Amino acid sequence: MLGVTDLPTYLVGLVLIVLLPGPNSLYVLSVAARRGIRAGYSAAAGVWCGDTILMVLSAAGVASLLQANELAFGIVKFAGAGYLTWLAIGMMRAAWSLWRARHERADAVAATSAPSASASPTPAERPYRRALVISLFNPKAILFFISFFVQFVDPGYAHPALSFVLLGLLANVASALYLSALIFGGTRLAAGFRRRKRLSAGMTSAAGALFLGFAVKLSLSSA
């Protein structure tokens, strides 16, 4: 079908790959838990757009360029690691604010503005933009898309671009289903987090630590 070979095997591999935790899915879950379904889907839209751009670049041969050019790969790699580190620091600061608010709320429980102030999201956060940047600054994703997709493209097919389009659409559908599950699961967790500031601070700290781990792993990767 459109030059795609062994579609069942591709779908099985795709499901396994989508279920692997990564900075994109972790960020979407974090946003949904803190800011609700609408913000969660805004972050998910950034992931889908970023992945689509990477798929197009992969089909156009940018992955081969990054793999052959060590300098270009290094620039993208360290830029992505730096951005993930910046996000991790922001999460750590948010966790510290939640921890302090746990004590301050007890002292100011009579103030009507205190609950809303402690629960308000960070006004500077732009979920779509952040998720898009997280997706784009991932050279390993570009290399993955071309190395994984090419295994299921018939080399004798006259229009291989259509094969990449079909494989990319299936990948985005799988991602949409998975991120939707994370978003609705995250909003259910949010109610408990709002009541338990210590739990919320701990989970936010853990997310920040994971993002630092992603940054280190990316900075140590090779083309």
Side-chain angles (χ1 to χ4, degrees), residues 1-6 10 145-146 148-165 167:
M1 181 173 60
L2 295 180
V4 175
T5 62
D6 202 2
Y10 170 76
F145 282 132
I146 194 168
F148 183 64
F149 283 6
V150 75
Q151 302 175 50
F152 303 95
V153 175
D154 183 359
Y157 186 64
H159 306 286
L162 293 178
S163 304
F164 274 93
V165 169
L167 295 174

Side-chain angles (χ1 to χ4, degrees), residues 65-159:
L65 174 63
L66 286 179
Q67 197 168 24
N69 191 323
E70 185 176 350
L71 177 60
F73 182 87
I75 291 174
V76 177
K77 178 180 70 173
F78 286 111
Y83 188 74
L84 290 177
T85 301
W86 180 74
L87 286 179
I89 293 173
M91 289 182 176
M92 296 292 189
R93 292 177 60 187
W96 175 247
S97 298
L98 287 170
W99 186 262
R100 290 198 311 171
R102 184 177 67 91
H103 300 286
E104 294 172 356
R105 185 174 181 180
D107 299 332
V109 66
T112 57
S113 61
S116 61
S118 61
S120 60
T122 305
E125 186 176 16
R126 298 291 185 271
Y128 173 84
R129 186 181 303 173
R130 285 194 176 186
L132 179 64
V133 173
I134 291 173
S135 296
L136 292 179
F137 278 94
N138 189 358
K140 300 298 281 189
I142 303 178
L143 298 175
F144 161 76
F145 282 132
I146 194 168
S147 62
F148 183 64
F149 283 6
V150 75
Q151 302 175 50
F152 303 95
V153 175
D154 183 359
Y157 186 64
H159 306 286

Side-chain angles (χ1 to χ4, degrees), residues 1-38:
M1 181 173 60
L2 295 180
V4 175
T5 62
D6 202 2
L7 185 59
T9 301
Y10 170 76
L11 294 177
V12 171
L14 182 62
V15 169
L16 295 176
I17 291 165
V18 168
L19 291 178
L20 290 176
N24 291 342
S25 57
L26 182 62
Y27 180 68
V28 171
L29 176 61
S30 172
V31 170
R34 290 183 288 109
R35 301 184 56 178
I37 292 175
R38 178 177 296 183

Side-chain angles (χ1 to χ4, degrees), residues 43-54:
V47 173
W48 298 327
C49 288
D51 286 349
T52 300
I53 292 173
L54 293 183

